[in-house]
Amino acid sequence: MFFLHKLERRVTLHPSYFGKNMHELVTGKLLKDVEGTCTGSYYIIAVMDTLIISEGRILPGSGLAEFTVQYRAVVWRPFKGETIDAIVVSVNQHGFFCLAGPLRIFVSTHLIPQDVKYDHNASPPLFTNNEDTTIEINTQVRVKIIGTRAEVGDIWAIGSIKEDYLGTLSPA
């Protein structure tokens, strides 16, 4: 789910950049440093605007200036029970991995419908029910998140396609 968060970060600037356009340089460095990163509990998608940029404080010994920047950002946090669309990136006999943006999701064979089986003879590997469902690399799937695990710089999820309206998506 997407949220608009008010966040704060310290940004350092080298003395060679001191001048008239320091605020633009601080904002540019903020965008470069935080957009597309994971804090462990959510992904920072985009910085909307900077609210407050403090006066710079010179760091002793290095000469760098440190600015405290308050900003608003669009963040994405996956929740248990959320249904999202993803693209399959890897298939093996234990299940498949898919990506929903930066989120890596594993769907175990226990969370795939009973009639969809792993085909040991297929190359590339795939799951199929020999009728209308085939799950292979680059297949679009709709997955329900069963659980998430957060690490320092990443979030992982376990998903299911064993309910109604979940599974492969028809090409538009």
Side-chain angles (χ1 to χ4, degrees):
M1 192 171 299
F2 293 93
F3 298 98
L4 188 61
H5 264 281
K6 187 187 281 187
L7 301 167
E8 186 175 288
R9 182 174 177 96
R10 292 183 182 177
V11 177
T12 57
L13 198 60
H14 192 270
S16 64
Y17 296 112
F18 293 174
K20 293 180 183 177
N21 62 345
M22 275 197 310
H23 284 273
E24 289 82 17
L25 293 170
V26 169
T27 302
K29 191 161 189 317
L30 173 75
L31 294 173
K32 192 179 100 195
D33 289 349
V34 301
E35 280 188 344
T37 62
C38 180
T39 65
S41 56
Y42 52 81
Y43 292 98
I44 299 175
I45 304 300
V47 174
M48 296 299 293
D49 54 4
T50 54
L51 303 173
I52 298 171
I53 300 176
S54 72
E55 289 185 10
R57 184 176 79 87
I58 304 296
L59 299 175
S62 67
L64 298 174
E66 181 181 72
F67 298 87
T68 301
V69 182
Q70 290 182 2
Y71 61 99
R72 289 185 319 153
V74 176
V75 300
W76 178 55
R77 179 174 178 213
F79 285 99
K80 180 179 177 181
E82 186 175 0
T83 301
I84 55 177
D85 294 347
I87 297 177
V88 176
V89 294
S90 173
V91 178
N92 62 43
Q93 63 190 9
H94 303 292
F96 62 88
F97 287 93
C98 53
L99 288 176
L103 180 67
R104 192 165 176 91
I105 306 165
F106 177 69
V107 180
S108 169
T109 53
H110 301 291
L111 299 170
I112 296 174
Q114 297 268 333
D115 64 327
V116 179
K117 303 283 187 205
Y118 181 73
D119 187 351
H120 294 279
N121 299 324
S123 180
L126 57 86
F127 283 89
T128 185
N129 66 356
N130 293 323
E131 291 174 15
D132 60 340
T133 302
T134 301
I135 300 171
E136 58 188 342
I137 294 174
N138 293 327
T139 302
Q140 293 182 358
V141 291
R142 181 159 292 148
V143 179
K144 181 177 180 181
I145 297 175
I146 302 299
T148 60
R149 184 183 81 205
E151 292 181 1
V152 175
D154 210 0
I155 303 173
W156 297 80
I158 301 294
S160 171
I161 60 169
K162 207 171 185 175
E163 296 178 21
D164 291 340
Y165 306 107
L166 300 179
T168 59
L169 299 173
S170 302

